[in-house]
Amino acid sequence: MTERTPTIETRSFETQIQQLLDLMAHSLYSNKDIFIRELISNSSDAIDKIRFLSLTKKELLEDDSRFEIKISLDKDAKIFIISDNGIGMNHEEIIQNIGTIASSGSKDFIQAMSQDQAKNLSLIGQFGVGFYSVFMVSKKVTLFSRKAGEKEAWKWESTGKGSYTIEPAEKKNRGTEVILHLNEEGEEFLENWKVRSVIRKFSDYVSYPILMPKTDNRSEEEKKKEPEKKSTEYEVVNTGQPLWIRPKKEITDDMYDEFYKQISHDFEKPLTKVHFSQEGVIAFNSILFIPTKAPLDFFHHHESKGVNLYVKRVFIMDSCKELMPAYLRFVRGMVDTEDLPLNISREILQQNKTVEKIRKALVKKVLDVLTELSSKEPDRYHAFWKEFGMALKEGVYLDQENRDKLIALLRFYSSASQDEKSWVSLKTYCSRMKDGQKEIYYLPGETREEIEASPHLEIFRKNQMEVLYLTDPVDEWMFSVIPEYEGKKVVSAGRGELDLGDLDKEAREKAKEDEKKLKGIEDLFRKILQDEIKSVRTTTRLVDSPCCLVSDEGEMSAHMERILKASKQMDFRSKRILEINPNHALIQHLQSMTEKGIKEEDLQDWISVLYDQALLAEGSKIKDPKSYNTRMNKILLKAIG
Ligand code: ADP
């Protein structure tokens, strides 16, 4: 809704922003001071941008080449002011950036907000809605901004309740000034020492000077004489040296954590980090972090904050996609190199050999860190796996060069693991294979419960053989590139003819014999179900069930077909093979009925019901539930005479 007067426009916030503002006021209550970090990091980002642009367009600086962030406080008027000489914003950018939520995941975000404060806090960071945190401490916020290279300046103002105004304004210098009219909650931020301590805690490594009025060093007596003397002199209050160029031994864990929070906008500590440098032909310095939690929309979204690129300490760009493959998009951090030109563009980055080499080194490092974590701290590794495991599975498929390392990082549920603590790797699986077992078995399905109900597991359960449970939609797709592991074939327990080697040799021989005896009933199955199935055969796979359906060698599983259908990628049902259990009383009874010459129509109900049951057991829908019930009732009525 826009109401235009010649000068002042009043606009409504997006509904979601209003919801967000309301929620934030409640959930972030005990972390009010983060608004300072958010404002400083916005200013620092804005200076990064103008600094980079000015490398090729010096005129944008307009003779003001000191980059700085200034904070002033006015106790009487109860206002907090932060200003920067960064890139600034024009009319459209103000409306776009401060009035709409950029992230497409905003709906998920609002929905996920709950009573759980800690959770909300981490969510807010992930969605980059930092600016709005000012409304936790302000009753009104005024922002002045002028974009570098443009003449018009703009004033934006809001009380955070439904709408904001925007109008032309005067502003001499480029950049942005934000004026917070503090509410009662925010009054503590009128204290110079308090603001300094927050800056030291959150923003000490910001690479530009943060200036604040000099503290009042006069004696108590002098202060008594002239209590309200305001200082007009400013001093730098942050250390200002980028973290990564300090000697490593001087950097504490807390310093790394704060640096991470600053660059990632995450509110939680990272799960782990690595700080390393490479010398030689290509030299670089890098700090990489693995977050603790995946953003809500992580798996739907292929964008991320990623890794920032610096050249000779000058910020070049954030989320440099060329530095990390898409499957490692959860990694945050920075790389600083001397070996790229300062004026490098996104287009050049894509084909640049140096960038490619740096990426290789970064990927190797990340995988090494994860490998180490998995062996030394399995619990923490499992916490990682729970959040980002699916991304590594994408890696197995896509990154041939690192496939072996990635395969070693895979974890699964299995028939022998009850919970996340006992997730298994392929290595562990192999180490406890039964004597005589030659293959690695898996079974796909929607949930653990669905897989456990499958008749395909019966023989494995009987022989106490472990089967991996594939419950992620990407699992089967991933296994298509892992035909073998440590020389053992990786096979689906629900596909092709089962061959457990020596373990079921006798049973298989017996089943072959039985096949001859069961020819009558097999033929009948074939005839009645000819439109539904590919073929019929006896099996050693079953213990308790009379029959089941299996996919033919090389064909998709029923589970995969259901996934593709649900995601509307394909609606196709391949014909499956019906396997019958020669030892089951029902099958034997049906055979004797055929031998006795009982009419085909009388056997039709039995055969159709058994087929439908096999469909239900694999988690598929039956074609015609009504006729299933009718047939079933007919059989039951016969049974009670
Ligand atoms: P985030 O910083 O995570 O993107 P914010 O809500 O803090 O989210 O800011 C939204 C956007 O507004 C920023 O991405 C930036 O484009 C713009 N912005 C905020 N503050 C400034 C500033 N001081 N100078 C220039 N642009 C700014």
Side-chain angles (χ1 to χ4, degrees), residues 38-47 49 82-84 86-89 93-94 96-98 100 102 124-125 127-133 143 145 175-178 264-265 305:
E38 295 305 316
L39 289 172
I40 291 178
S41 104
N42 282 346
S43 288
S44 159
D45 290 351
I47 300 177
K49 285 178 194 153
I82 175 168
S83 60
D84 63 63
I87 183 97
M89 286 178 276
E93 286 165 336
I94 294 178
Q96 189 56 40
N97 295 332
I98 305 177
T100 31
I124 285 172
F127 282 86
V129 287
F131 178 79
Y132 303 107
S133 59
L143 174 146
S145 197
T176 304
E177 178 175 72
V178 187
S264 68
H265 296 249
K305 293 221 165 67

Side-chain angles (χ1 to χ4, degrees), residues 598-639:
I598 298 200
K599 275 192 282 160
E600 196 182 303
E601 346 19 319
D602 290 333
L603 289 170
Q604 172 128 20
D605 287 339
W606 291 78
I607 286 181
S608 297
V609 163
L610 284 177
Y611 172 67
D612 282 348
Q613 284 182 347
L615 279 175
L616 290 173
E618 66 168 20
S620 295
K621 278 195 178 138
I622 49 181
K623 233 181 179 175
D624 182 359
K626 190 160 172 266
S627 87
Y628 171 80
N629 283 345
T630 315
R631 290 180 200 283
M632 197 62 199
N633 290 342
K634 252 163 92 183
I635 294 172
L636 291 173
L637 280 171
K638 255 192 200 149

Side-chain angles (χ1 to χ4, degrees), residues 149-405:
E150 296 188 11
K151 285 200 192 71
E152 301 85 21
W154 297 92
K155 175 183 172 188
W156 175 99
E157 193 164 72
S158 176
T159 55
K161 296 202 170 58
S163 66
Y164 60 89
T165 58
I166 182 162
E167 62 190 287
E170 289 296 316
K171 190 174 185 306
K172 217 168 101 237
N173 307 322
R174 68 156 195 274
T176 304
E177 178 175 72
V178 187
I179 302 170
L180 311 185
H181 302 264
L182 298 175
N183 59 20
E184 234 170 85
E185 302 294 340
E187 277 181 24
E188 59 180 298
F189 300 104
L190 291 169
E191 297 294 343
N192 196 309
W193 65 267
K194 170 77 192 177
V195 177
R196 282 172 188 240
S197 77
V198 177
I199 293 173
R200 266 194 302 277
K201 179 167 142 206
F202 287 138
S203 311
D204 200 32
Y205 328 114
V206 168
S207 12
Y208 306 105
I210 302 174
L211 300 171
M212 281 197 68
K214 273 195 167 163
T215 36
D216 198 346
N217 288 329
R218 293 172 303 152
S219 67
E220 285 305 312
E221 231 162 74
E222 279 174 299
K223 279 188 194 168
K224 262 186 204 153
K225 273 191 226 151
E226 199 186 351
E228 292 305 320
K229 182 169 176 175
K230 280 179 196 147
S231 173
T232 47
E233 272 181 79
Y234 283 80
E235 64 187 346
V236 178
V237 297
N238 61 325
T239 319
Q241 199 183 23
L243 189 67
W244 63 92
I245 61 168
R246 297 186 191 193
K248 272 188 212 167
K249 57 179 186 302
E250 283 177 19
I251 313 176
T252 63
D253 283 349
D254 279 349
M255 288 157 93
Y256 280 117
D257 289 351
E258 287 310 329
F259 178 66
Y260 166 74
K261 289 179 186 173
Q262 187 205 314
I263 60 166
S264 68
H265 296 249
D266 194 347
F267 287 60
E268 250 181 270
K269 283 183 188 177
L271 180 77
T272 185
K273 55 144 204 307
V274 55
H275 183 177
F276 68 112
S277 41
Q278 183 172 294
E279 308 295 331
V281 192
I282 293 170
F284 67 85
N285 189 346
S286 170
I287 308 180
L288 300 177
F289 297 95
I290 293 176
T292 300
K293 285 260 178 289
L296 264 189
D297 55 350
F298 183 69
F299 290 104
H300 303 132
H301 238 242
H302 281 248
E303 280 166 35
S304 73
K305 293 221 165 67
V307 176
N308 298 350
L309 175 66
Y310 293 76
V311 170
K312 304 183 184 79
R313 276 166 232 166
V314 177
F315 169 87
I316 305 295
M317 67 182 73
D318 55 13
S319 346
C320 180
K321 291 196 174 53
E322 287 69 26
L323 288 175
M324 251 330 135
Y327 76 90
L328 293 180
R329 63 191 177 278
F330 54 85
V331 177
R332 302 273 176 272
M334 52 68 52
V335 172
D336 186 0
T337 178
E338 306 268 324
D339 297 316
L340 285 172
L342 272 168
N343 58 356
I344 190 156
S345 66
R346 288 221 181 237
E347 293 69 47
I348 296 175
L349 274 179
Q350 280 166 13
Q351 312 126 25
N352 186 285
K353 288 271 176 291
T354 306
V355 175
E356 198 182 311
K357 287 189 179 131
I358 297 177
R359 181 183 57 227
K360 271 193 180 169
L362 299 186
V363 172
K364 180 175 179 305
K365 200 74 189 181
V366 171
L367 298 182
D368 287 349
V369 166
L370 290 174
T371 305
E372 191 176 315
L373 192 70
S374 70
S375 66
K376 292 201 176 138
E377 296 177 84
D379 285 351
R380 287 184 66 216
Y381 181 71
H382 285 169
F384 160 82
W385 180 255
K386 200 170 163 192
E387 294 295 316
F388 300 107
M390 201 132 92
L392 294 196
K393 291 176 184 178
E394 285 172 38
V396 170
Y397 193 85
L398 299 168
D399 185 354
Q400 215 169 342
E401 199 179 323
N402 291 297
R403 189 169 287 160
D404 289 344
K405 272 191 190 168

